[in-house]
Amino acid sequence: MPADTDTESQQPLQEFLAEREEVLRTWSTGAEVDLEEGIAYQLSIPPSRRFTRVLAEADREQRVLVQPRAGVALVDEHIALLRHLQGEADLLPTTIDAYTRQNQYAEAQKGIDRSLQAGRSVLNGFPAVNHGLRQCRRVVEAVNRPVQVRHGTPDARLLAEITLAAGFTSFEGGGISYNIPYAKKVPLERSIRDWQYVDRLVGLYEERGVRINREPFGPLTGSLVPPFISHTVGILEGLLALEQGVRCLTLGYGQLGNLVQDVAAVQSLRELAEEFFRLRGFEDFQLTTVFHQWMGGFPEDEPKAFAVISWGGAVSALSRATKVIVKTPHEASGIPTAEANLQGIKATRQIVSMLADQVFADESRLAAEVDLIKSEVRHLLKAVLDLGQGSVAEGAVRAFQAGVLDVPFAPSIHNAGKLMPIRDNQGAIRVLDPARVPLPADVADFHRERIQERARFEGRKPSYHMLIDDIYAVSKGRLVGRPR
Amino acid sequence: MGPDTIVLGVVGADCHAVGNKILERVFSDQGFRVVNLGVMVSQDEFIDAAIETNARAILVSSLYGQGELDCEGLRERCLERGLEDVILYVGGNLVIGKNDPALTEQKFRQMGYDRVFRPDSDLAEAARALHEDIRQRFHALPVA
Ligand code: B12
């Protein structure tokens, strides 16, 4: 049974250090990184700018923290953006551009140069690797909130080296959640392996008294992903991180839109993670949750977008998530201006504060939905772990190969893409066809029955058309994609 | 004569897959033979596929905002590689930020794209336009 230090799944330290040397040579700015210096710098950061501290306090006080996404090409502009947001935000991001996410640093450089010329950002995020450690440090020092790296990078080894040494105190992602939704051909073995490196690095900081928060990306494709799929992936990534020495984890979930399902999802996520972490022999960890406001297609009309944002804020408060990631009124159109971003944060903060003292009341329906998700996740996780014969990493790889884990609408060729989700008559995500994903027989029947109920109501058969109507529904002003 | 072949894909380092899967379905249903290259497609991959399959049109999507960088030069590259007549369509969230759609359209028309589509475009209409553009460019016989 794996214990708190898991030597079996860890690379020998000497090998890890040799690999580090190679990683740091993959782009010129890697040369600036010195682990000892990075640790010393991290130790000098005051608690008010440490993710783990702010999360722990909020968790204790049952407060929901508010965090935006944000990133532009140039350093001074990025600093100005974060400063514009920090008054209303509890936690800050640095969202990384898409070239850096694919390790295309030469392309990112072109984007930096073009942004300089154009006088506006032509990149969709902050190219942290190209800017390098010293410039990244200017970012974390320019603000008075903790800053997290948010991205979507299958191989984030160099990005982690640079940003952690620079003083970022949280790092989003994982070997599954930053591959399957974000890549096309990267083998899962490869990305899991590269994320074990990242987690090992975080573990080394932890050993030296520097606690870095890690956050697996819960929403996956943000497109009708049933909670049992995203929970299973999140818990697997949590286990993979714990094995490498990570101790502070925030597990995530993307809002789906049905109130009961969403509240149940956040509650069950936390309880299931506790359960499985302990079951696998881990006792010493700090666990929190993050709720992402609706991650699918948004309405273009800004007042309508505010409604979606506020509803997400409301549910984050009712579900007692530790933090909420906010969207903006520009979501359907493009990267938000600083002003639009701030508006999303303000709308969210208002509703979260108004609901701070209220609890979700429909106890019996909530309990039933929590039980449902728990039985699904236990069944699925057992199947995955059995496939791995003791190894979490191998279990995950084999599960995707076999279609036992299957994420709707994912671009990766290593994902089966056969599971078919559809909303039920009240908008909860159910599965019409689980394909190769194992669900207990009574649970699979329940899902189909709920979809049949909708089909009867709409007078049509459940089909691909219904699924497509669901994909467009929120952007067109509803939750359930009714026939047009 | 069989259905016209078109090449479809999401350009650059862009991973947005949902619209791509729907476009494949709709354009197939509307009578095209669709060669879907999926996400993260380079300009040369589009062109290789178009040459290999003798495609009439290339449909480029870009959602993630870096389309301005990724879409530039495709027309020139097509000409260089001997694709003189191929129809180029582009659609999605083409530039960074919320912008005037008319300016975006102008920018991409200048790059040599025959039509430019916004994210909320009616796909059946787009398919009709494509049938018509193909008819005019490839099938319209000179009056004897
Ligand atoms: C879901 C989503 C995601 C998911 C994608 C999962 C996946 N693998 O598919 C996740 C969470 C992973 C994701 C990640 C990112 N995303 Co995203 N995402 C969205 C979101 C919310 C919905 C997209 C969607 O699926 N819509 C539903 C489908 C049906 O619509 P569609 O994609 O628009 O496609 C239709 C049309 O565009 C049109 N169309 C498209 N191409 C063409 C071509 C032709 C010829 C025609 C006729 C029509 C046409 O027809 C399609 C079908 O109807 C949009 C915002 C929104 N729309 O609300 C942002 C959005 C597209 N994402 C955005 C960004 C920037 C990113 C990231 C880079 C992260 C970041 N910096 O914020 C990363 C991507 C990294 C990478 N390497 O690509 C930005 C782009 C900004 C811009 N252009 O200025 C958007 C607009 C959000 C925003 N406002 O910031 N995203």
Side-chain angles (χ1 to χ4, degrees):
Chain A
M1 185 77 324
D4 265 356
T5 29
D6 187 337
T7 40
E8 218 170 285
S9 56
Q10 279 185 9
Q11 202 179 5
L13 186 62
Q14 283 317 312
E15 254 177 53
F16 173 80
L17 294 175
E19 184 179 337
R20 271 198 85 224
E21 296 305 313
E22 274 173 49
V23 168
L24 295 178
R25 276 197 298 269
T26 51
W27 190 251
S28 62
T29 49
E32 290 173 64
V33 177
D34 171 347
L35 186 56
E36 289 304 317
E37 196 272 343
I39 290 169
Y41 181 80
Q42 280 276 358
L43 286 169
S44 76
I45 297 173
S48 62
R49 289 204 281 118
R50 295 215 71 87
F51 244 82
T52 54
R53 242 333 239 287
V54 175
L55 286 169
E57 265 168 30
D59 194 34
R60 199 164 346 102
E61 294 161 12
Q62 298 254 304
R63 243 173 348 101
V64 183
L65 300 165
V66 179
Q67 182 181 13
R69 297 185 174 89
V72 290
L74 304 177
V75 181
D76 289 330
E77 283 71 7
H78 185 60
I79 289 174
L81 171 59
L82 295 189
R83 282 197 167 151
H84 191 76
L85 305 179
Q86 71 179 347
E88 296 283 335
D90 299 299
L91 299 165
L92 289 173
T94 286
T95 301
I96 306 299
D97 73 286
Y99 293 140
T100 302
R101 294 170 185 219
Q102 298 299 319
N103 312 97
Q104 298 173 0
Y105 308 123
E107 304 291 316
Q109 193 55 49
K110 230 170 46 186
I112 294 172
D113 299 342
R114 287 283 295 269
S115 301
L116 272 166
Q117 273 170 24
R120 65 189 162 88
S121 180
V122 299
L123 290 179
N124 53 22
F126 180 79
V129 167
N130 290 65
H131 288 313
L133 183 148
R134 258 164 272 286
Q135 297 299 322
C136 286
R137 232 170 236 183
R138 282 183 55 217
V139 173
V140 289
E141 286 174 359
V143 295
N144 55 23
R145 308 276 188 203
V147 197
Q148 177 185 41
V149 184
R150 302 190 65 86
H151 49 130
T153 313
D155 175 4
R157 292 173 298 170
L158 183 58
L159 180 66
E161 288 281 2
I162 291 173
T163 53
L164 295 184
F168 287 81
T169 56
S170 175
F171 200 78
E172 196 192 23
I176 306 167
S177 64
Y178 270 7
N179 178 343
I180 300 298
Y182 282 98
K184 183 179 182 177
K185 292 178 183 161
V186 179
L188 200 55
E189 301 84 311
R190 185 76 239 161
S191 58
I192 289 180
R193 167 72 199 47
D194 289 339
W195 273 89
Q196 284 173 326
Y197 176 109
V198 171
D199 286 328
R200 183 71 181 280
L201 182 65
V202 171
L204 289 183
Y205 276 94
E206 173 83 30
E207 274 173 30
R208 303 287 297 276
V210 177
R211 178 157 287 196
I212 304 288
N213 172 245
R214 283 275 295 106
E215 181 187 327
F217 178 61
L220 301 175
T221 55
S223 306
L224 313 183
V225 180
F228 64 84
I229 295 283
S230 50
H231 283 22
T232 301
V233 169
I235 293 167
L236 289 170
E237 290 188 345
L239 288 171
L240 288 166
L242 288 165
E243 287 177 350
Q244 302 300 317
V246 170
R247 289 295 169 264
C248 179
L249 280 161
T250 304
L251 294 200
Y253 168 73
Q255 179 186 21
L256 295 174
N258 172 282
L259 173 61
V260 180
Q261 184 172 48
D262 284 337
V263 175
V266 175
Q267 190 185 318
S268 61
L269 177 59
R270 186 161 184 155
E271 290 169 6
L272 284 162
E274 287 261 3
E275 176 183 323
F276 278 89
F277 293 172
R278 291 188 196 287
L279 200 72
R280 300 283 298 185
F282 299 101
E283 298 291 336
D284 169 27
F285 53 83
Q286 177 189 342
L287 177 67
T288 48
T289 55
V290 51
F291 183 89
H292 296 248
Q293 290 174 354
W294 173 244
M295 288 293 286
F298 252 64
E300 194 184 327
D301 196 13
E302 294 189 23
K304 294 180 182 174
F306 276 121
V308 179
I309 289 167
S310 304
W311 178 232
V315 182
S316 73
L318 294 174
S319 70
R320 290 281 180 268
T322 322
K323 73 171 181 177
V324 57
I325 304 282
V326 305
K327 289 272 179 166
T328 81
H330 286 184
E331 177 62 16
S333 308
I335 301 274
T337 57
E339 201 42 50
N341 207 330
L342 187 65
Q343 289 173 354
I345 303 172
K346 283 184 174 175
T348 302
R349 179 167 295 292
Q350 172 75 16
I351 195 97
V352 162
S353 309
M354 286 178 69
L355 289 172
D357 308 305
Q358 299 184 40
V359 291
F360 182 72
D362 196 344
E363 288 299 337
S364 66
R365 282 185 60 207
L366 178 63
E369 199 70 35
V370 167
D371 287 346
L372 175 70
I373 298 173
K374 283 187 172 176
S375 71
E376 292 164 343
V377 172
R378 286 184 188 126
H379 196 79
L380 183 50
L381 259 173
K382 181 175 182 309
V384 176
L385 294 170
D386 283 352
L387 281 171
Q389 297 171 316
S391 159
V392 179
E394 295 213 2
V397 170
R398 290 184 191 143
F400 273 95
Q401 268 165 6
V404 163
L405 276 172
D406 193 354
V407 178
F409 294 100
S412 171
I413 58 170
H414 305 294
N415 182 72
K418 294 279 195 304
L419 174 141
M420 189 160 164
I422 283 188
R423 289 195 189 277
D424 71 15
N425 213 31
Q426 290 167 35
I429 302 289
R430 310 294 179 196
V431 293
L432 179 64
D433 181 3
R436 308 290 292 274
V437 179
L439 286 179
D442 57 326
V443 170
D445 290 345
F446 171 82
H447 279 262
R448 263 190 302 272
E449 178 38 45
R450 294 304 298 263
I451 293 171
Q452 284 304 335
E453 182 191 18
R454 168 178 170 191
R456 284 192 296 274
F457 179 84
E458 292 181 1
R460 60 172 173 171
K461 285 208 173 73
S463 68
Y464 183 77
H465 292 285
M466 207 180 243
L467 170 62
I468 296 311
D469 289 339
D470 283 348
I471 281 286
Y472 287 113
V474 172
S475 67
K476 292 184 190 299
R478 17 188 3 145
L479 182 62
V480 182
R482 300 298 184 194
R484 278 162 291 166
Chain B
M1 204 181 55
D4 290 309
T5 301
I6 62 174
V7 172
L8 176 69
V10 186
V11 69
D14 192 337
C15 71
H16 290 92
V18 183
N20 172 264
K21 290 179 200 285
I22 294 176
L23 287 167
E24 174 179 351
R25 182 77 176 226
V26 172
F27 279 84
S28 303
D29 289 351
Q30 301 288 329
F32 293 96
R33 185 164 88 87
V34 181
V35 178
N36 187 7
L37 304 179
V39 303
M40 294 181 168
V41 181
S42 71
Q43 291 194 358
D44 275 326
E45 287 173 307
F46 275 112
I47 295 171
D48 291 342
I51 292 173
E52 251 166 60
T53 63
N54 192 24
R56 301 301 196 198
I58 299 177
L59 273 58
V60 178
S61 295
S62 178
L63 286 311
Y64 73 160
Q66 296 176 179
E68 230 177 308
L69 299 170
D70 299 333
C71 294
E72 227 173 38
L74 178 62
R75 176 57 82 188
E76 290 76 7
R77 190 88 189 121
C78 284
L79 293 174
E80 251 173 62
R81 298 199 47 196
L83 284 179
E84 315 244 315
D85 300 323
V86 73
I87 294 166
L88 295 183
Y89 279 12
V90 67
N93 298 79
L94 292 172
V95 296
I96 295 287
K98 183 166 182 163
N99 286 279
D100 179 353
L103 289 179
T104 303
E105 176 168 355
Q106 202 187 349
K107 187 176 282 177
F108 282 78
R109 293 285 300 226
Q110 271 165 11
M111 287 185 205
Y113 292 87
D114 296 290
R115 290 183 195 264
V116 182
F117 295 88
R118 309 186 42 190
D120 60 356
S121 302
D122 183 321
L123 303 181
E125 241 165 64
R128 271 196 297 278
L130 185 54
H131 277 304
E132 183 53 27
D133 288 352
I134 291 177
R135 199 187 60 78
Q136 289 201 0
R137 198 167 298 181
F138 295 98
H139 306 314
L141 295 171
V143 190

